[in-house]
Amino acid sequence: MNMIDLAQQYLEEARRQFRGYKRLGEGALAQLKDEDLFVTLDSESNSVAIIVKHIAGNMRSRFVDFLISDGEKPDRHRDQEFELSAGTTRADVMRWWESGWSSVFAAIEALRPEDMQHSVTVRGEPHTVLQAINRQIAHYAYHVGQIVFIAKHLQSKDWKSLSIPRGQSEEFNRKPAAERRPGPAGRASLA
């Protein structure tokens, strides 16, 4: 396998992972009532709405003009991502969510294998394109995990599993691969 083929496979996998984390987050968001989006578990915790606002700001900053400008845009005000106005609604949260992911997919879908040789900066620090993408996959997985945790906590017994439900692993494993229903990440499960 040559480097171009390897770069193409990496980009396809990165796109798959981004799509999977978007679906996973949406599976959790869909289970929350409007007011649940604004619940904090304690004084040091962020609500789902704040997490979404933060990652949307991060996504815009990192992925708009991905190959040609620093990933920390001068017009980003990160601290404000952790503040909500009293009138914030579910529609606002979902608009942030979609806008952020649109920035990610516009940049990632446009990348070609040759682009993997580029260097990009984040806060002035150089990264290979591969490092920059990996950094963001890890960051978004971390925050989507927080969203899922909060949603599962708030839904408690009404939670609908986003992967293999508790106590059903053996049954799932007995099914032929063709019969397994993929989870939100595009595979049977993230776990």
Side-chain angles (χ1 to χ4, degrees):
M1 177 179 298
N2 66 38
M3 292 305 285
I4 294 293
D5 291 340
L6 188 60
Q8 183 61 41
Q9 283 189 350
Y10 171 79
L11 286 170
E12 289 170 11
E13 176 59 15
R15 291 171 183 138
R16 187 196 68 76
Q17 286 189 41
F18 281 126
R19 285 189 303 268
Y21 285 118
K22 182 177 189 284
R23 278 192 306 273
L24 186 65
E26 288 168 351
L29 289 165
Q31 294 188 53
L32 292 173
K33 294 178 272 204
D34 291 358
E35 60 271 18
D36 290 343
L37 294 170
F38 306 96
V39 170
T40 56
L41 300 183
D42 58 56
S43 63
E44 290 299 312
S45 296
N46 292 314
S47 67
V48 167
I50 285 176
I51 295 168
V52 169
K53 186 177 182 186
H54 165 60
I55 62 173
N58 177 278
M59 290 168 165
R60 183 193 64 78
S61 190
R62 296 297 185 264
F63 285 103
V64 169
D65 299 327
F66 178 61
L67 293 176
I68 59 174
S69 69
D70 192 276
E72 187 66 17
K73 303 298 184 278
D75 64 344
R76 181 183 185 201
H77 303 287
R78 185 180 179 279
D79 291 339
Q80 292 175 8
E81 295 167 8
F82 296 91
E83 301 170 359
L84 297 176
S85 68
T88 302
T89 65
R90 175 184 280 274
D92 295 324
V93 173
M94 297 313 295
R95 188 177 66 254
W96 297 331
W97 179 262
E98 289 300 329
S99 176
W101 284 108
S102 290
S103 297
V104 171
F105 292 122
I108 294 298
E109 295 300 331
L111 290 175
R112 302 164 315 195
E114 311 75 75
D115 295 326
M116 299 303 288
Q117 298 175 29
H118 280 85
S119 178
V120 297
T121 60
V122 178
R123 296 186 182 109
E125 180 185 332
H127 292 66
T128 64
V129 167
L130 185 138
Q131 287 172 320
I133 292 171
N134 282 348
R135 174 180 176 153
Q136 296 318 118
I137 289 171
H139 187 216
Y140 305 149
Y142 169 78
H143 285 306
V144 168
Q146 290 175 320
I147 292 168
V148 171
F149 173 82
I150 294 167
K152 187 173 181 179
H153 174 79
L154 295 174
Q155 287 303 105
S156 188
K157 65 181 177 7
D158 295 326
W159 175 253
K160 293 170 190 66
S161 179
L162 300 175
S163 63
I164 302 168
R166 185 185 302 241
Q168 295 183 23
S169 295
E170 295 300 320
E171 178 184 334
F172 181 86
N173 290 337
R174 281 193 294 273
K175 291 180 183 178
E179 292 178 25
R180 295 180 187 158
R181 203 174 90 198
R187 290 189 178 158
S189 167
L190 287 175

